[in-house]
Amino acid sequence: MKKICFVILLCLTLINLTFTAPALAMDSANGAQIFAQNCAACHANGGNIIRRGKNLKKRALQRHQKDSIEAISLLVKEGKYAMPAYGDRLSEEEITEVAAYVLAKAENDWK
């Protein structure tokens, strides 16, 4: 019985690892186009023309606890202060894609 449970758990883990990594790579590529169309006007090169300290650089994301795909996705979806909500304009998939792109660019210092 223990062997069967172990094999099932191992299979589920392998399936999860196999299908998660390629999705994140694809999300970031599609996110570039979504970012260019919806975000770059205020956040060019990870900056912020409205509120200087609220940029998309790694240090600022960490300081404001927005350094995960989930946290960035929530901000994109619901908006905050001067940033509009995009939950009614972008699908959940598009929001995840742009969040993955922002996080990847922040990790690479927007280069």
Side-chain angles (χ1 to χ4, degrees), residues 3 8-9 14-15 30 38 51 65 76 89 93:
K3 279 188 173 182
I8 291 172
L9 184 60
L14 289 173
I15 289 170
N30 293 333
N38 297 281
R51 296 184 72 192
Q65 299 173 342
V76 171
R89 296 179 235 179
E93 183 179 346

Side-chain angles (χ1 to χ4, degrees), residues 40-61:
C42 293
H43 293 290
N45 296 317
N48 186 333
I49 65 168
I50 307 294
R51 296 184 72 192
R52 216 175 45 183
K54 301 285 186 169
N55 60 56
L56 303 177
K57 307 289 182 163
K58 184 177 179 178
R59 187 173 175 184
L61 292 175

Side-chain angles (χ1 to χ4, degrees), residues 14 18 33 42 50 64 67-68 88:
L14 289 173
T18 302
Q33 181 178 7
C42 293
I50 307 294
H64 299 291
D67 56 342
S68 69
D88 59 343

Side-chain angles (χ1 to χ4, degrees), residues 30-107:
N30 293 333
Q33 181 178 7
I34 296 165
F35 184 88
Q37 292 172 344
N38 297 281
C39 314
C42 293
H43 293 290
N45 296 317
N48 186 333
I49 65 168
I50 307 294
R51 296 184 72 192
R52 216 175 45 183
K54 301 285 186 169
N55 60 56
L56 303 177
K57 307 289 182 163
K58 184 177 179 178
R59 187 173 175 184
L61 292 175
Q62 289 173 333
R63 182 174 53 244
H64 299 291
Q65 299 173 342
K66 303 291 184 208
D67 56 342
S68 69
I69 291 176
E70 295 80 16
I72 296 168
S73 293
L74 185 63
L75 183 61
V76 171
K77 182 177 181 177
E78 296 180 357
K80 190 170 183 178
Y81 303 122
M83 181 174 159
Y86 285 88
D88 59 343
R89 296 179 235 179
L90 299 174
S91 69
E92 289 290 329
E93 183 179 346
E94 290 171 321
I95 290 171
T96 301
E97 290 170 352
V98 77
Y101 172 77
V102 166
L103 193 57
K105 292 298 280 185
E107 291 289 332

